[in-house]
Amino acid sequence: MKRAFITGIEGQDGSYLAELLLTKGYEVHGIYRRSSNGGAANLKHLPAANLFIFPAELDEVDSVRVPLEKCAPDEIYHLASQSHVGQSFEKVEETCRVTGLGALRLLELTRNLRRPARFFHASSSEIFGSPEQSPQDEATPVNPITPYGCAKAFGTQMTRIYRHNFGLFAVNGILFNHESPRRGENFVTRKICRAVAAIKQGRQKELVLGDTSAQRDWGNARDYVRGMWLSLQHDAPEDFVFATGRIHRVQDIVELAFRAAELDWRAHVRQDQTLFRPADPRQVVGNPAKAKRLLGWQPEITFEATIAEMVAAELAANAA
């Protein structure tokens, strides 16, 4: 039985990855933040037989090292970070410490394990900033313009250094935006879908948003965690972009979400200039050709289906 170790196992990606690995017969170990409000709520539906979770903090090395060494994993998936781009402007030092130095700590712990393990680092399209090249691929210059992007760029470069200089099987998955009903409530996709459900059920009257012309390449989290796993099954450690290659506006999310609830968005949406984000990158769209060619990976769940699923989940949760 293969063993996997996941940091941030309680989050959107971590919980879907745990599900995937358990279905593949893995024994899954993971850590979650002691201070997380929901604890490990996303894991409560999973069978406990081959799932082992531990509270830890990336700032406290021993809290990570002890369960990692106990697991003696074949594969390590480092997903934990302060991952909200907007909040990274308010929590610059925390973002760099947790997201950037956290990756370095995991790499060093991996290098010192008694038996070698394959290492996956969840990088981000934010490392590209506002790129001149479109679409972006693995060779696109790293030029972050947000604290979060800068911290992820550090982790990405350190992963490459440990691969080339220490011989680790270390992979960067450069993940473009990906969503699901488990997306954090402070992300715009979830905020929109929650508000639509509340308006539909008479608990809210309007949705206040910032710049709805902002564009991203949005995929589905379940597709992207499948890519994570495939990247560690590859013969050699390489970096891979995981993206849909399609770009959408926040406005598209608004219209799809209200349509899923059979409402007219025009009657309920108001813009607020104070919510506009500084230095918002434009034309961020990925080229997943390498992942398709070498891993046989491609996204299977459409953007439209993802938003409809998120709205349905919010409606069901509030009706319960």
Side-chain angles (χ1 to χ4, degrees):
M1 180 181 289
K2 286 178 110 175
R3 287 192 294 274
F5 185 85
I6 304 171
T7 70
I9 194 170
E10 83 283 14
Q12 170 186 254
D13 292 2
S15 60
Y16 281 121
L17 179 60
E19 284 182 10
L20 175 69
L21 295 178
L22 287 169
T23 64
K24 292 183 178 296
Y26 280 65
E27 181 179 292
V28 177
H29 297 239
I31 57 172
Y32 65 95
R33 287 191 72 181
R34 257 187 236 112
S35 56
S36 62
N37 293 331
N42 286 333
L43 305 172
K44 289 180 179 177
H45 65 289
L46 295 178
N50 293 315
L51 177 64
F52 305 89
I53 60 173
F54 310 89
E57 297 291 339
L58 291 179
D59 282 350
E60 301 170 13
V61 176
D62 283 347
S63 73
V64 180
R65 179 182 55 79
V66 171
L68 178 63
E69 291 180 352
K70 181 179 179 181
C71 172
D74 300 282
E75 298 169 5
I76 297 169
Y77 297 88
H78 179 45
L79 313 184
S81 70
Q82 191 301 101
S83 58
H84 192 280
V85 176
Q87 286 185 0
S88 76
F89 287 95
E90 303 165 10
K91 303 176 180 179
V92 177
E93 184 177 342
E94 177 187 335
T95 298
C96 293
R97 188 179 69 249
V98 173
T99 303
L101 289 177
L104 173 58
R105 292 189 186 102
L106 258 293
L107 283 162
E108 189 64 12
L109 289 171
T110 301
R111 183 167 77 97
N112 290 314
L113 287 173
R114 292 183 179 180
R115 56 191 295 260
R118 297 189 171 196
F119 179 91
F120 176 90
H121 171 243
S123 184
S124 167
S125 59
E126 288 287 328
I127 68 174
F128 300 134
S130 289
E132 296 181 4
Q133 169 190 337
S134 186
Q136 296 85 52
D137 60 24
E138 295 80 5
T140 299
V142 173
N143 186 30
I145 60 172
T146 66
Y148 172 71
C150 188
K152 278 295 183 185
F154 176 83
T156 301
Q157 295 295 84
M158 292 305 300
T159 298
R160 291 170 178 167
I161 288 170
Y162 272 67
R163 179 169 72 218
H164 294 303
N165 292 280
F166 298 119
L168 258 62
F169 193 109
V171 170
N172 285 303
I174 304 172
L175 308 172
F176 282 64
N177 290 61
H178 48 286
E179 315 300 321
S180 78
R182 298 180 194 170
R183 190 55 143 152
E185 294 179 9
N186 53 354
F187 288 84
V188 68
T189 46
R190 182 80 185 278
K191 175 182 177 180
I192 292 170
C193 294
R194 279 177 64 85
V196 168
I199 292 168
K200 179 70 173 180
Q201 294 170 332
R203 296 178 290 105
Q204 186 171 325
K205 291 186 177 180
E206 66 175 4
L207 167 61
V208 182
L209 292 171
D211 184 9
T212 60
S213 69
Q215 301 178 43
R216 293 290 187 279
D217 180 335
W218 273 291
N220 188 284
R222 283 166 292 186
D223 283 334
Y224 287 42
V225 300
R226 181 166 44 84
M228 296 176 190
W229 177 76
L230 286 169
S231 72
L232 291 195
Q233 315 314 306
H234 189 49
D235 293 338
E238 302 186 44
D239 295 343
F240 294 96
V241 162
F242 294 105
T244 70
R246 297 177 60 204
I247 199 163
H248 295 280
R249 303 167 301 155
V250 172
Q251 182 63 31
D252 297 326
I253 300 171
V254 170
E255 294 178 17
L256 286 167
F258 276 94
R259 187 182 309 156
E262 299 180 333
L263 294 171
D264 182 357
W265 68 270
R266 297 172 188 84
H268 302 285
V269 176
R270 177 171 62 84
Q271 277 196 319
D272 183 345
Q273 294 288 330
T274 66
L275 297 178
F276 280 51
R277 180 184 297 168
D280 194 37
R282 303 287 175 166
Q283 292 301 314
V284 179
V285 57
N287 178 4
K290 181 180 177 182
K292 290 181 179 180
R293 184 177 73 254
L294 296 183
L295 305 180
W297 178 87
Q298 60 181 358
E300 296 176 353
I301 305 170
T302 67
F303 173 72
E304 293 79 9
T306 299
I307 300 304
E309 179 191 24
M310 291 175 70
V311 172
E314 296 293 347
L315 288 167
N318 289 303

